[in-house]
Amino acid sequence: EAGVAQSPRYKIIEKRQSVAFWCNPISGHATLYWYQQILGQGPKLLIQFQNNGVVDDSQLPKDRFSAERLKGVDSTLKIQPAKLEDSAVYLCASSLGPGTTVEQFFGPGTRLTVL
Amino acid sequence: TQLLEQSPQFLSIQEGENLTVYCNSSSVFSSLQWYRQEPGEGPVLLVTVVTGGEVKKLKRLTFQFGDARKDSSLHITAAQPGDTGLYLCALAGGTYKYIFGTGTRLKVLA
C-alpha cells in the first residue's frame, strides 16, 4: 500500500514570496490533515478535511495560509506571503475517518526555509 | 486550550539502559496515542491507549495510561540505537482536533 506522498521535500524562499505544498493521501482515506512542525516542537494542526469539507481550521493563519482539497483526494497548502516564522516542516497526514483513536498516516513532510 | 506536556525534553543514554518518558495534561482525556518520529520522516503510530490504568506492551516498549486518564508514560527496556527518535504523545480533542505534545527527543548511543 502506497503511503502519503508530499512534494516538494524541500523549499527555500525569500520572505514575502509565495509557496505551495502538495499532498496525496492514502487511497480511500476520507480525512486529511495539514500540520506545521517548528524545529524542536510537536506538530500543530493547521487544518483538517473530511472528504472535501473543512472540519477544523481554527489554527490556520487565514490572512496568509490557504488550503483546499478538491474532489476529496489531493490537497494543496499555500502560503502567501511567507514570513520568517513560517520556516518549519509541513506534514500531511490521512486517516480512514475522523475519531479519537484513528491512526493517522503521515507523509515525509516538506521542509520550508524562509530567508 | 488543552496542552500536553512531555518530559524530559531531551534524553541521551547508552545502549542497554532503561528509560521512561512522560506525557501529562491538566485535563482528563478519553484516549491517548504515542508516535515516534525519525529524522526526515513523519510520525508513526506506536500505540493507542483508551482505558484508565491500561498497560500495553510492544516488544521492549511498555505504555501506561494513568488511572485518572490525565497522564501516560512510555518505558523502554534495554534501549537500542534504533530507538533513537522524537517520541510524541497525542490526543484528539473536540471535533477530533488532534493535539500533539511537546515531544521527547531520545538518543541512544552505541
Side-chain angles (χ1 to χ4, degrees):
Chain A
E1 180 182 82
V4 176
Q6 290 189 248
S7 67
R9 289 297 310 275
Y10 305 92
K11 190 74 177 178
I12 300 175
I13 62 173
E14 300 278 337
K15 61 182 179 183
R16 291 187 290 273
Q17 285 187 324
S18 302
V19 65
F21 312 127
W22 174 81
C23 172
N24 183 237
I26 293 173
S27 177
H29 280 195
T31 308
L32 185 145
Y33 316 78
W34 282 102
Y35 289 89
Q36 179 192 60
Q37 186 174 25
I38 293 174
L39 186 64
Q41 299 181 17
K44 182 180 83 171
L45 181 68
L46 293 176
I47 188 167
Q48 178 178 337
F49 291 95
Q50 178 65 20
N51 295 309
N52 60 348
V54 175
V55 173
D56 189 292
D57 62 357
S58 57
Q59 298 191 102
L60 186 74
K62 298 179 186 64
D63 57 333
R64 299 183 300 106
F65 286 64
S66 64
E68 60 182 9
R69 190 184 184 197
L70 300 176
K71 300 181 182 178
V73 182
D74 293 7
S75 178
T76 56
L77 176 69
K78 297 179 181 178
I79 308 175
Q80 179 180 16
K83 293 185 175 181
L84 296 176
E85 58 261 36
D86 298 332
S87 293
V89 174
Y90 290 84
L91 294 165
C92 178
S94 69
S95 62
L96 281 171
T100 58
T101 59
V102 294
E103 179 174 4
Q104 294 182 64
F105 294 85
F106 284 82
T110 296
R111 181 176 297 277
L112 173 68
T113 301
V114 182
L115 302 175
Chain B
T1 301
Q2 192 165 29
L3 294 175
L4 289 176
E5 294 290 334
Q6 291 187 241
S7 62
Q9 190 174 1
F10 300 99
L11 194 54
S12 180
I13 62 171
Q14 293 291 327
E15 182 176 5
E17 292 184 354
N18 301 331
L19 67 116
T20 303
V21 299
Y22 301 92
C23 175
N24 293 282
S25 171
S26 56
S27 305
V28 174
F29 36 87
S30 60
S31 62
L32 184 122
Q33 297 181 320
W34 284 94
Y35 287 79
R36 180 171 66 207
Q37 184 177 23
E38 298 186 20
E41 299 180 12
V44 175
L45 180 67
L46 296 173
V47 77
T48 301
V49 286
V50 297
T51 305
E54 181 177 5
V55 177
K56 280 192 173 180
K57 293 195 173 185
L58 184 67
K59 298 183 180 178
R60 295 176 294 99
L61 277 60
T62 301
F63 304 85
Q64 188 158 7
F65 200 9
D67 290 338
R69 306 210 316 274
K70 296 175 68 175
D71 59 273
S72 181
S73 64
L74 158 59
H75 181 79
I76 301 179
T77 303
Q80 299 177 0
D83 296 326
T84 293
L86 178 66
Y87 287 82
L88 296 158
C89 59
L91 62 84
T95 66
Y96 308 127
K97 183 174 81 175
Y98 274 84
I99 300 167
F100 278 80
T102 49
T104 293
R105 192 166 297 279
L106 171 66
K107 184 162 188 172
V108 182
L109 305 170

